[in-house]
Amino acid sequence: MRDHAAARERVRAVLDAVRSAGRTALTAAEAESVAAAYGIPTPPQALATDAEEAVLRAEEIGWPVALKVVSPDVVHKTEAGGVRTGLTGPDQLREGYAALLDSVSSHVPGARIEGVQVQRMVTAGQEVLVGAATDPTFGKIIAFGLGGVLVEALGDLTFRLAPASWDEARSMLDSVRAAEVLRGVRGAPPADRDALTGLLVRVSHLAADFPELTEIDLNPVFAAPDGVVAADVRLLLGEPEESERPRHSTEEILASMRRLMEPRAVVVIGASNEPGKIGNSVMRNLVDGGFAGEIHPVNPKADQVLDRKAYPTVGDVPGEVDVAVFAIPAPLVPAALAEAGRKGVPNAVLIPSGFAETGEHALQAEVVAIARQHGIRLLGPNIYGYYAPWQNLCATFCTPYDVRGGVALTSQSGGIGMAVLGFARATGTGVSAIVGLGNKSDLDEDDLLTWFAQDEHTRCVAMHLEDLKDGRAFVSAARETVRKKPVVVLKAGRTAAGSRAAGSHTGALAGDDAVYDDVLRQAGVIRAPGLNEMLEYARALPVLPTPQGENVVVITGAGGSGVLLSDALVDNGLSLMEIPEDLDAAFRAFIPPFGAAGNPVDITGGEPPSTYEATIRLGLDDPRIHALVLGYWHTIVTPPMVFAELTARVVADARARGIDKPVVASLAGDTEVEEACGYLFDHGVVAYPYTTEKPVAVLGAKYRWARAAGLLPGRP
Amino acid sequence: MRDHAAARERVRAVLDAVRSAGRTALTAAEAESVAAAYGIPTPPQALATDAEEAVLRAEEIGWPVALKVVSPDVVHKTEAGGVRTGLTGPDQLREGYAALLDSVSSHVPGARIEGVQVQRMVTAGQEVLVGAATDPTFGKIIAFGLGGVLVEALGDLTFRLAPASWDEARSMLDSVRAAEVLRGVRGAPPADRDALTGLLVRVSHLAADFPELTEIDLNPVFAAPDGVVAADVRLLLGEPEESERPRHSTEEILASMRRLMEPRAVVVIGASNEPGKIGNSVMRNLVDGGFAGEIHPVNPKADQVLDRKAYPTVGDVPGEVDVAVFAIPAPLVPAALAEAGRKGVPNAVLIPSGFAETGEHALQAEVVAIARQHGIRLLGPNIYGYYAPWQNLCATFCTPYDVRGGVALTSQSGGIGMAVLGFARATGTGVSAIVGLGNKSDLDEDDLLTWFAQDEHTRCVAMHLEDLKDGRAFVSAARETVRKKPVVVLKAGRTAAGSRAAGSHTGALAGDDAVYDDVLRQAGVIRAPGLNEMLEYARALPVLPTPQGENVVVITGAGGSGVLLSDALVDNGLSLMEIPEDLDAAFRAFIPPFGAAGNPVDITGGEPPSTYEATIRLGLDDPRIHALVLGYWHTIVTPPMVFAELTARVVADARARGIDKPVVASLAGDTEVEEACGYLFDHGVVAYPYTTEKPVAVLGAKYRWARAAGLLPGRP
């Protein structure tokens, strides 16, 4: 593939020929020529039209050989008996050739047989499979897995977006569970990793260059120590899917998003004086929230709403309007939206339900068409609205929220949005935005990511989503964002049952969630396993500084916590640092002789505050240590708040000296540990009571982000 | 194996012969005869002492054959070139025979060669491996897995205690991840499951009958549609491990446990008036806790402790004493313990540390010896003590706890014990006992289980443990207990790092945790993945009634929660019921036309209390539904406490009518949902805010127990 353009031309010619012959399946010879164009190694092979020619070809190619029928009428060659393998000499070949023809003509009567492909048998190396497919969310993806029925039964496959870079393709080799087999087990030689990586890259380009290749299936590929060979190449032609989704430039997105998230004038269409009405709640929240810009009620039947002059239509509102919040029944939305469009309002927040989610697809399509016509961006419909605490903006019918901070939270579902709000309030989580996405008729996660990526208030983005309208756009926005700040995603509908509940048509595809999982990881997103984890990661990640290396040390007053914390570290992909001798001696100097240094550093339970203090300080000061996990045990000698205060002080002191490492803590004790955890959180230490898993899971999430953002160069 | 005794005798004779020959490895012929005695099918085979005899034997047995050297001096036959396979005729055999002899004599010069085993080659069927080994915790275990390097690389093995019952052996076939391969994939015929099960049972008996068989390795076994054949049987003799652990009868355990958990008289050795001393805290907790029995301080230097007469030694205390709590330094324990022994005290609670955990193994051994001599049972040392709220007994130096209820909690570590206490207090969990086990010098989990199984106050047992002193005794006690009430176990040291932190020597064994995992499941124990889950299961399981079937229905006001709840159901091994048409229609009658019946039943977000009420009532009343999962969404129309009260009322009403199904709820909303969850918990509905995972995880744990206890006959 030195000359990519020439390769494309060659393949284009082959595919055009197949298409003009009215076929969808490529013959072995056609597939071979496509493979050759893209540098995909295949075994030596040649076409023969009778048995004697096949013997000649086999003598040239080298024994043993396989025979495969070439016929436009035979799609499933093996099932039709059109494949013979392991032929070691002329006689066997002649017998096989005859049997093959018999078998094919009895299975597919009247099949036109153009000949038989004679192919050198490959058996050396580990069987793997390489493929490409079109995912409904992400488009062209490549798949890799080890071969053999057992591993296929385990579904041990990994996926990446096509085209894939060298590094992305390389990472696939280690992403299957049976990865060590490629490194050589039981004395078997390791596979040629460079050759395999190159093959994956080339297949990914083939898939990306020719969207109409709906199926690319190299199975088996033999990965030997000295190269790879695709023993069977199956290619199918179909119709490339056309996306009719409009794309906006980053500048366009930011221009409208800025007016949505930092508006100067907001109108509420359907503003009402009547308590219990959504139009009343929204007005009240906007006014009570302290939004400093203009707030104009629109209501043709009222002169005033909440002591503000009401206008009959949005067109009557004086001056520029940045956001129109709709609090009117769904059927009334189109007319009002057109009015807003004529007024030049760039953003419509569609709170009402009664659109696609209730089967009213036509109404939603009408609204989308009106919006496009006028260049309005739509948030919703079917949402609770949105919060922008830094603007004192509560454009929602829910309860107000005003704790400013660094977390931007979005949810596709209103119920989950309420859980986000309740959790944020219960934990005092500082928020930069809470946004409902609902039906995502227009604005979706990638627009929001584009905004949050450059929003200085936002230090972490957490998103609940059930589907993605445009997986590629999301990945692209996520990649940009992840360079600057962590993105946490809770993907609902992971399981088939969940997918059905989400009404997702893609849910029926086996492996669908595996694709999401791999692609989200490829994009550098931290996937939360559940709602509570998403919320905790969102709350805690901005509290932690970014680690500068992989060496994690556990310092614990409770040996029992040390064991559970060690388990949690392994579960979360973290590394218990191997403590060098001098550091071990330094820790030992502070702890009782029967305490255990090493890692965890077990300072034992009866120790005074000074022991916690000395060991934590040492852990912060030693530059070889990159993160601390603390296990506290409630005792009379060192009560919870004493521990919390000393820890906060030592951490603050280190930060003042320019040492900023992530510190998380698990507090085991009576209920006073809850207050201590709150104090620690407020002072930059992520701390939880009654759990050894949560603090480590948060640290693990921070590490996953740091690695994905390229901030930990030691690890990919 | 129709005559088990005869089989044992035959094997005994073979093993005796091997041992008297000074060998540890059995020859092929010996292994074959052991296999034959236990009905383990092996391929037709015979011994030959020269090539021509081998040809004759092969003609009788049938081609193709394999040759295996028979030599007391060759342990690793393959490595020595002592195996030749795939010999299809006389000439090949003769060549192979000669090559084999050459190879063996060059690899093991001077090896005594008794002949060559001629064995019919087996290749039909799926390769599996069957083995038995001695686990340091559980003793004899059998292992099963599919064969092949890939699956072995994945560590896809499953374990059971030996001997295994038919059902236990059968369950192994479905416990490997690649289980479907045995059912036949890609057109391959299914394996003979009965034959395979029978083989597992017989191997498990062989392992159990002959503890000195330290290794039994049948690899590969070919599992074909019409039977199984063990192509290679490798047996190794070693020394059976002798357990010197004293066993107590159930009656003995209950007699001493009753006096420990329901004592009439308690002494505190080392009781003190000095605040801050452990002996002072223990006395104060006992007195303040309101224990109604006698409490006697023992202190040679005081006349009174906390206004009670103090005695110089325990021997001076009048009357019978049930429990002596030790609050004195470790070195003083032996003398005081001997004194207690002479007094006839049956239970010593050893709070002090300074024993094995700090390297003072000799001191601990001395204490154990004194206890055995006097028939005293020991709790500890190195513990916080124990709580028995139903006796108002706080025999601990920690903070008191008095919320009576159904949960018995034990922990090996003091730090975890404090987390247990804090969690219980924070959540108001009703407790029947909290017990520290520490170094487990004597009393351990199986003694406690034996007590809790018959303790009428205890409805659920939750145990944190780092190791088991006697895995078999634990399994036996757990099985008995599980029939009556759930047992939750948090096994710390799951990972190699965690194991190292636990200082567990068994941790070095690969697969160690896999054995724990399988055996705990075999015992019917619910394994908690982490500390917080253990605590939540313990709190919630007694609240839920036992489900009567597998049909779970989700009723949700938030579609988004429905999706996440469905995911969680699948994750926890629960079944979303397929709703029959009439039931679907019945649900639809209550919900808006655009709501979704099916399962989840999505009643939609804006509905009044009456919709929640009607659908929940229907879910309780329809006998085809066995459990309900509720997803609540905070709205003005149905505020959190309104939902909580109506749900509690509907559930109570159903219970009054004899309908008692488990109901769990996930509440999404603002912080008022926390109060609503508390209210629901108090009224028998397990409810959590801001999480869709936790309520379903608890329900899943209840189901796992109900299945293990045989209360859900539809599922094993």
Side-chain angles (χ1 to χ4, degrees):
Chain A
M1 220 171 46
R2 288 210 184 135
D3 187 341
H4 196 155
R8 286 175 78 138
E9 256 174 61
R10 281 174 61 192
V11 174
R12 170 65 56 218
V14 174
L15 300 188
D16 286 349
V18 174
R19 216 184 266 291
S20 46
R23 285 183 287 122
T24 55
L26 276 68
T27 64
E30 288 162 348
E32 208 277 332
S33 97
V34 168
Y38 270 70
I40 296 167
T42 50
Q45 51 194 300
L47 189 71
T49 50
D50 61 39
E52 291 316 310
E53 192 186 357
V55 170
L56 285 176
R57 295 291 88 79
E59 296 286 358
E60 291 160 15
I61 285 169
W63 303 93
V65 298
L67 301 179
K68 296 178 187 175
V69 70
V70 178
S71 164
D73 304 317
V74 180
V75 177
H76 299 289
K77 294 190 289 286
T78 306
E79 284 79 344
V83 177
R84 304 283 143 165
T85 60
L87 309 173
T88 55
D91 290 347
Q92 245 192 331
L93 189 150
R94 289 185 192 100
E95 269 176 50
Y97 200 102
L100 179 150
L101 293 185
D102 276 1
S103 187
V104 169
S105 55
S106 78
H107 275 86
V108 189
R112 291 162 294 168
I113 291 171
E114 297 176 353
V116 170
Q117 195 80 3
V118 184
Q119 192 183 64
R120 170 74 177 271
M121 290 285 290
V122 196
T123 52
Q126 172 60 46
E127 271 189 57
V128 303
L129 62 87
V130 172
T134 308
D135 181 83
T137 301
F138 295 105
K140 287 292 168 187
I141 52 169
I142 48 167
F144 169 73
L146 300 192
V149 61
L150 292 184
V151 173
E152 285 180 48
L154 292 171
D156 190 14
L157 286 173
T158 187
F159 305 91
R160 297 291 183 278
L161 293 182
S165 70
W166 181 270
D167 286 346
E168 284 165 351
R170 183 59 151 250
S171 75
M172 297 181 85
L173 308 193
D174 290 322
S175 297
V176 291
R177 290 203 302 268
E180 63 168 300
V181 171
L182 290 175
R183 300 190 179 274
V185 288
R186 287 217 195 149
D192 184 335
R193 299 173 74 80
D194 283 349
L196 197 46
T197 305
L199 176 66
L200 285 162
V201 170
R202 288 189 290 275
V203 170
S204 82
H205 278 286
L206 178 62
D209 291 347
F210 297 95
E212 65 267 46
L213 280 175
T214 46
E215 208 177 309
I216 301 178
D217 196 11
L218 281 56
N219 184 13
V221 171
F222 288 91
D226 57 351
V228 295
V229 180
D232 195 39
V233 178
R234 221 169 77 89
L235 301 173
L236 276 184
L237 265 183
E239 296 302 322
E241 293 206 8
E242 297 284 331
S243 166
E244 37 169 321
R245 197 181 147 75
R247 293 273 179 106
H248 301 273
S249 72
T250 301
E251 290 67 32
E252 286 167 349
I253 293 170
L254 288 180
S256 64
M257 283 298 303
R258 183 172 306 282
R259 292 184 68 183
L260 178 69
M261 301 305 290
E262 297 174 355
R264 277 168 301 185
V266 177
V267 300
V268 178
I269 298 173
S272 166
N273 285 308
E274 199 180 319
K277 286 227 162 193
I278 283 179
N280 179 262
S281 301
V282 173
M283 268 306 286
R284 192 174 296 282
N285 280 334
L286 277 170
V287 172
D288 294 352
F291 177 59
E294 297 168 34
I295 308 170
H296 301 295
V298 172
N299 185 334
K301 295 180 193 156
D303 293 333
Q304 287 206 322
V305 174
L306 299 189
D307 301 331
R308 285 169 194 248
K309 177 174 168 47
Y311 298 90
T313 73
V314 62
D316 301 317
V317 175
E320 266 198 336
V321 172
D322 299 296
V323 178
V325 182
F326 285 66
I328 52 177
L332 305 182
V333 168
L337 186 64
E339 178 81 22
R342 288 189 289 273
K343 168 80 181 167
V345 180
N347 290 292
V349 176
L350 303 181
I351 290 180
S353 55
F355 291 90
E357 86 286 0
T358 63
E360 303 292 338
H361 295 280
L363 183 60
Q364 183 163 319
E366 184 188 352
V367 163
V368 169
I370 293 168
R372 281 198 195 156
Q373 184 193 336
H374 292 283
I376 309 179
R377 300 300 310 261
L378 302 175
L379 187 66
N382 185 30
I383 58 171
Y384 49 86
Y386 72 110
Y387 297 81
W390 291 95
Q391 311 297 322
N392 297 322
L393 183 73
C394 293
T396 158
F397 63 88
C398 302
T399 40
Y401 192 69
D402 62 2
V403 183
R404 296 172 174 188
V407 185
L409 293 142
T410 78
S411 72
Q412 189 162 351
S413 134
I416 304 308
M418 278 306 294
V420 166
L421 188 69
F423 175 87
R425 200 187 306 281
T427 56
T429 299
V431 161
S432 67
I434 300 178
V435 183
L437 280 166
N439 296 5
K440 300 199 280 198
S441 68
D442 176 17
L443 284 173
D444 63 7
E445 289 82 0
D446 31 302
D447 298 297
L448 295 186
L449 277 177
T450 303
W451 170 256
F452 291 136
Q454 59 77 57
D455 174 36
E456 62 175 13
H457 294 306
T458 299
R459 298 182 54 210
C460 173
V461 186
M463 306 185 134
H464 157 266
L465 54 93
E466 292 175 356
D467 59 9
L468 289 170
K469 300 289 177 198
D470 181 345
R472 293 258 164 177
F474 177 83
V475 167
S476 156
R479 278 185 166 148
E480 280 302 312
T481 312
V482 164
R483 286 195 197 125
K484 299 173 192 157
K485 49 198 81 171
V487 177
V488 181
V489 165
L490 170 62
K491 166 68 175 70
R494 272 184 296 113
T495 63
S499 251
R500 268 197 307 279
S504 156
H505 297 296
T506 63
L509 285 175
D512 183 49
D513 190 68
V515 175
Y516 257 101
D517 205 55
D518 284 338
V519 173
L520 290 181
R521 189 174 302 112
Q522 192 184 356
V525 160
I526 301 162
R527 190 164 181 189
L531 175 57
N532 197 252
E533 286 90 347
M534 178 188 84
L535 295 169
E536 290 293 3
Y537 294 175
R539 174 191 176 207
L541 288 182
V543 173
L544 292 179
T546 303
Q548 301 302 313
E550 295 282 351
N551 287 337
V552 182
V553 169
V554 178
I555 298 173
T556 183
S561 296
V563 179
L564 291 169
L565 291 167
S566 299
D567 282 342
L569 279 161
V570 173
D571 290 342
N572 285 282
L574 296 172
S575 309
L576 272 167
M577 178 188 186
E578 295 278 344
I579 307 266
E581 258 182 52
D582 65 305
L583 187 52
D584 193 69
F587 274 118
R588 275 185 198 283
F590 296 123
I591 65 181
F594 52 88
N599 192 3
V601 180
D602 183 358
I603 69 170
T604 77
E607 289 299 292
S610 58
T611 308
Y612 277 105
E613 187 164 338
T615 47
I616 296 171
R617 177 168 291 121
L618 176 57
L620 290 171
D621 285 358
D622 192 288
R624 293 165 292 185
I625 299 174
H626 303 119
L628 292 183
V629 176
L630 309 180
Y632 165 76
W633 180 5
H634 187 161
T635 61
I636 302 173
V637 187
T638 307
M641 277 308 296
V642 170
F643 167 76
E645 280 163 13
L646 80 84
T647 301
R649 180 164 38 77
V650 173
V651 168
D653 173 60
R655 286 186 185 160
R657 288 181 288 119
I659 299 169
D660 202 8
K661 300 177 181 177
V663 180
V664 302
S666 161
L667 276 66
D670 211 332
T671 47
E672 293 114 282
V673 297
E674 298 183 23
E675 185 197 350
C677 286
Y679 182 91
L680 283 166
F681 241 106
D682 289 344
H683 289 78
V685 175
V686 166
Y688 294 98
Y690 324 132
T691 166
T692 46
E693 299 82 26
K694 232 176 230 188
V696 180
V698 166
L699 184 64
K702 190 84 190 191
Y703 264 97
R704 273 190 279 161
W705 167 68
R707 289 180 201 129
L711 300 171
L712 279 173
R715 288 266 291 258
Chain B
M1 219 170 48
R2 289 207 183 134
D3 187 342
H4 196 155
R8 286 175 78 139
E9 255 175 62
R10 281 174 59 191
V11 173
R12 168 67 54 220
V14 173
L15 299 188
D16 286 349
V18 174
R19 215 184 266 292
S20 47
R23 285 183 287 122
T24 55
L26 276 68
T27 64
E30 287 162 347
E32 208 276 331
S33 98
V34 168
Y38 270 70
I40 296 167
T42 50
Q45 52 194 299
L47 188 71
T49 51
D50 62 40
E52 291 317 310
E53 191 185 358
V55 170
L56 286 176
R57 295 291 88 79
E59 296 286 356
E60 291 160 14
I61 286 168
W63 304 93
V65 297
L67 301 180
K68 296 178 188 175
V69 70
V70 178
S71 164
D73 304 318
V74 179
V75 178
H76 299 289
K77 294 191 289 286
T78 307
E79 284 80 344
V83 177
R84 304 282 142 165
T85 60
L87 309 173
T88 54
D91 292 347
Q92 247 192 330
L93 190 151
R94 289 186 192 100
E95 268 176 52
Y97 199 101
L100 179 150
L101 293 185
D102 275 1
S103 186
V104 168
S105 55
S106 78
H107 275 86
V108 190
R112 291 162 294 169
I113 293 173
E114 297 175 355
V116 170
Q117 195 80 2
V118 184
Q119 191 183 67
R120 171 73 177 272
M121 290 284 290
V122 196
T123 52
Q126 172 61 46
E127 271 188 57
V128 303
L129 62 87
V130 172
T134 308
D135 181 83
T137 302
F138 295 104
K140 287 292 167 186
I141 53 170
I142 48 167
F144 169 73
L146 302 192
V149 60
L150 292 184
V151 173
E152 286 180 48
L154 292 171
D156 191 13
L157 286 173
T158 186
F159 304 92
R160 297 292 183 278
L161 293 182
S165 71
W166 180 270
D167 287 346
E168 285 165 350
R170 184 58 151 250
S171 75
M172 297 181 85
L173 308 192
D174 289 322
S175 298
V176 291
R177 290 204 301 267
E180 63 169 300
V181 170
L182 291 175
R183 300 190 180 275
V185 289
R186 288 217 193 149
D192 184 336
R193 298 173 74 80
D194 284 348
L196 198 45
T197 305
L199 176 66
L200 285 162
V201 170
R202 288 190 290 274
V203 170
S204 82
H205 278 285
L206 178 63
D209 291 346
F210 298 95
E212 66 267 44
L213 279 175
T214 46
E215 208 178 312
I216 302 178
D217 195 12
L218 280 57
N219 185 12
V221 171
F222 288 92
D226 56 351
V228 295
V229 181
D232 196 40
V233 179
R234 222 169 75 89
L235 300 174
L236 277 184
L237 265 183
E239 295 304 321
E241 293 206 8
E242 298 284 332
S243 165
E244 36 168 323
R245 197 180 148 78
R247 293 273 178 107
H248 301 272
S249 72
T250 301
E251 290 66 32
E252 287 167 350
I253 292 169
L254 288 180
S256 64
M257 283 300 302
R258 182 171 308 281
R259 293 184 68 183
L260 179 69
M261 300 306 288
E262 297 174 354
R264 279 169 300 186
V266 177
V267 301
V268 178
I269 297 174
S272 165
N273 285 308
E274 199 179 318
K277 286 226 162 194
I278 284 179
N280 179 262
S281 301
V282 174
M283 268 305 287
R284 192 172 295 283
N285 281 333
L286 276 171
V287 172
D288 294 353
F291 176 59
E294 297 169 33
I295 308 170
H296 300 296
V298 172
N299 185 333
K301 295 181 193 156
D303 293 333
Q304 287 206 321
V305 175
L306 300 189
D307 301 331
R308 287 173 191 246
K309 177 174 168 48
Y311 298 90
T313 73
V314 62
D316 301 318
V317 175
E320 266 199 337
V321 171
D322 299 298
V323 178
V325 182
F326 286 66
I328 52 177
L332 306 182
V333 167
L337 186 66
E339 178 79 22
R342 287 189 289 275
K343 167 80 180 165
V345 180
N347 290 293
V349 176
L350 303 181
I351 289 180
S353 55
F355 292 90
E357 86 287 358
T358 62
E360 302 292 338
H361 296 279
L363 182 60
Q364 183 162 320
E366 183 187 352
V367 164
V368 169
I370 293 168
R372 282 196 194 157
Q373 184 193 336
H374 292 283
I376 308 179
R377 301 298 312 261
L378 302 175
L379 188 65
N382 185 29
I383 59 171
Y384 48 87
Y386 73 111
Y387 298 81
W390 290 94
Q391 311 297 323
N392 297 321
L393 184 72
C394 294
T396 157
F397 63 87
C398 302
T399 39
Y401 192 69
D402 61 3
V403 183
R404 295 172 175 189
V407 186
L409 293 142
T410 79
S411 71
Q412 189 162 349
S413 134
I416 304 307
M418 279 305 294
V420 166
L421 188 70
F423 175 87
R425 199 187 306 280
T427 56
T429 299
V431 161
S432 67
I434 299 179
V435 183
L437 280 167
N439 295 6
K440 300 198 281 199
S441 68
D442 175 17
L443 284 173
D444 64 7
E445 289 83 359
D446 31 302
D447 299 295
L448 295 184
L449 277 176
T450 303
W451 171 257
F452 292 134
Q454 59 77 59
D455 174 36
E456 62 175 12
H457 295 304
T458 298
R459 299 182 53 211
C460 172
V461 186
M463 305 185 134
H464 157 267
L465 55 93
E466 291 176 356
D467 59 10
L468 288 171
K469 300 289 178 198
D470 182 345
R472 292 260 164 176
F474 177 83
V475 167
S476 156
R479 279 183 166 149
E480 281 302 312
T481 312
V482 165
R483 286 195 196 125
K484 300 174 192 158
K485 49 198 81 173
V487 177
V488 180
V489 165
L490 171 61
K491 165 68 174 70
R494 273 185 295 112
T495 64
S499 251
R500 268 199 306 279
S504 156
H505 298 296
T506 64
L509 284 176
D512 183 51
D513 190 68
V515 174
Y516 257 101
D517 204 55
D518 284 338
V519 173
L520 290 180
R521 189 175 301 112
Q522 192 184 357
V525 160
I526 301 162
R527 189 164 180 188
L531 175 57
N532 197 253
E533 286 91 346
M534 178 188 85
L535 295 169
E536 290 292 3
Y537 294 175
R539 174 190 176 208
L541 288 182
V543 173
L544 293 179
T546 303
Q548 301 301 313
E550 296 281 353
N551 287 336
V552 183
V553 168
V554 178
I555 298 173
T556 182
S561 296
V563 179
L564 291 169
L565 292 167
S566 300
D567 283 341
L569 280 161
V570 174
D571 290 342
N572 285 282
L574 297 171
S575 310
L576 273 166
M577 178 190 187
E578 295 277 344
I579 308 266
E581 260 182 49
D582 65 305
L583 187 52
D584 193 69
F587 275 118
R588 275 184 198 283
F590 296 123
I591 65 181
F594 52 88
N599 193 3
V601 180
D602 182 0
I603 69 170
T604 77
E607 289 298 292
S610 57
T611 309
Y612 276 106
E613 188 165 338
T615 48
I616 296 171
R617 178 168 291 118
L618 176 56
L620 290 171
D621 285 358
D622 192 287
R624 293 166 291 186
I625 299 174
H626 302 121
L628 291 183
V629 177
L630 308 180
Y632 164 76
W633 180 5
H634 188 162
T635 62
I636 301 174
V637 187
T638 308
M641 276 309 295
V642 170
F643 166 77
E645 280 163 13
L646 80 85
T647 301
R649 180 163 38 76
V650 173
V651 167
D653 173 59
R655 287 186 185 160
R657 290 180 288 118
I659 299 170
D660 201 9
K661 301 178 181 177
V663 180
V664 302
S666 160
L667 276 65
D670 210 332
T671 47
E672 294 113 284
V673 296
E674 297 183 23
E675 185 197 350
C677 286
Y679 182 90
L680 283 166
F681 240 105
D682 289 343
H683 289 77
V685 175
V686 167
Y688 295 98
Y690 323 133
T691 167
T692 46
E693 299 83 28
K694 234 178 229 188
V696 179
V698 166
L699 184 64
K702 190 85 190 190
Y703 264 97
R704 273 191 278 163
W705 167 67
R707 291 180 200 128
L711 300 171
L712 280 172
R715 288 266 293 256

